[in-house]
Amino acid sequence: MLGRAFLVLGSFTSERPRLSQSELSRRTGLPLPTVHRLCRQLVDNGALERVDDGHYEIGVRVWELGALAPRAHGLRQVALPYLEDLYEATRENVQLVVREDLEALYLERLSARGAVTVVGRAGGRLPLHASSGGLVLLAFGGKALLDEVLAAGLERFTPSTITTEHRLRSTLDDIRRTGWVTCREHLNVGTLAVAAPVSRSTGEVVAAVSVVVPAEKDPAPLIPAVRAAARGISRGVA
């Protein structure tokens, strides 16, 4: 039953945050009566909310539980002052990401009203090979992770997305050597991103900080600012 409940909850995405029971049945492969019963139980426990037109959306209780996760809550708490400083310095999109399986999970994003439009959002996921923070996490994730990413395929999002093994390996080597990465239009046309790793005292990389600006901007002034924020967060990570 618990596995089926997670199938239902996992059907919601940022593109489809509101779903009907029929849509949930199609997405999960579960019979409609089973979905009906699960939805009722999830609503009773606050994990789903039923809106006026009969569709469902994720309930606040799920957010409350997620906020208690030590890896997300503790890291975000340590990082937020440094992210705010970076945001004030750039007035653009500032992001904190961790790895979840083969994707970059965004724990936090600060964005000015006039900032360049990006795909990522707090709580959203992006492919490791196509995002600046994801590339940083991939660079320090070990051989097994890289093999998995390559086996899954390198999807193209723009003409500049990394889609070959040779280019990916070269980029990861550069990240390990320099401690930062610049991605111009890898994921979104018209954007440039700079990212750097957050690590424990043991050297283990646990997250990445990134800033996303218009593609025509010079990344040089951003690199020391992003690296400084990442180092500051690293000092506070247990």
Side-chain angles (χ1 to χ4, degrees):
M1 181 64 74
L2 184 60
R4 291 179 175 181
F6 270 95
L7 278 177
V8 170
L9 294 174
S11 297
F12 295 88
T13 66
S14 57
E15 293 77 23
R16 297 300 304 275
R18 185 174 292 185
L19 298 169
S20 67
Q21 287 190 8
S22 296
E23 289 170 321
L24 286 168
S25 178
R26 288 195 298 272
R27 285 172 174 247
T28 61
L30 297 173
L32 193 55
T34 301
V35 170
H36 175 74
R37 184 171 66 255
L38 287 168
C39 285
R40 185 176 67 248
Q41 293 172 342
L42 289 168
V43 167
D44 289 344
N45 287 279
L48 285 182
E49 294 178 3
R50 190 171 187 271
V51 294
D52 292 341
D53 62 0
H55 285 65
Y56 294 85
E57 54 191 21
I58 294 293
V60 174
R61 182 58 178 155
V62 174
W63 176 83
E64 290 178 318
L65 292 172
L68 296 175
R71 185 159 70 105
H73 177 69
L75 181 57
R76 181 182 176 276
Q77 204 167 33
V78 169
L80 203 50
Y82 298 97
L83 298 178
E84 290 172 343
D85 287 346
L86 185 58
Y87 167 77
E88 289 297 332
T90 62
R91 304 301 293 180
E92 288 287 353
N93 303 284
V94 172
Q95 301 167 149
L96 177 71
V97 303
V98 296
R99 182 174 68 84
E100 190 67 21
D101 296 324
L102 301 184
E103 295 175 302
L105 172 64
Y106 286 72
L107 293 187
E108 185 59 85
R109 194 182 104 197
L110 306 177
S111 182
R113 181 177 297 176
V116 65
T117 301
V118 296
V119 172
R121 63 176 181 84
R125 299 185 182 212
L126 293 173
L128 293 176
H129 75 282
S131 56
S132 60
L135 283 169
V136 167
L137 297 170
L138 183 55
F140 297 98
K143 181 180 182 301
L145 175 61
L146 177 56
D147 289 344
E148 283 190 75
V149 168
L150 290 171
L154 306 177
E155 182 180 355
R156 182 184 297 278
F157 294 89
T158 74
S160 299
T161 305
I162 296 174
T163 56
T164 67
E165 179 178 347
H166 174 74
R167 186 182 170 204
L168 180 59
R169 289 186 181 275
S170 176
T171 300
L172 299 182
D173 286 342
D174 287 343
I175 294 171
R176 287 187 286 267
R177 177 175 54 82
T178 64
W180 54 271
V181 67
T182 297
C183 300
R184 194 182 299 275
E185 300 187 318
H186 283 202
L187 190 62
N188 306 80
V189 173
T191 65
L192 178 144
V194 177
V198 173
S199 58
R200 301 186 190 276
S201 58
T202 59
E204 176 195 3
V205 171
V206 295
V209 174
S210 66
V211 60
V212 185
V213 302
E216 62 271 15
K217 283 202 172 183
D218 179 8
L222 299 172
I223 295 168
V226 172
R227 297 190 72 188
R231 285 194 299 268
I233 298 168
S234 296
R235 287 193 293 270
V237 174

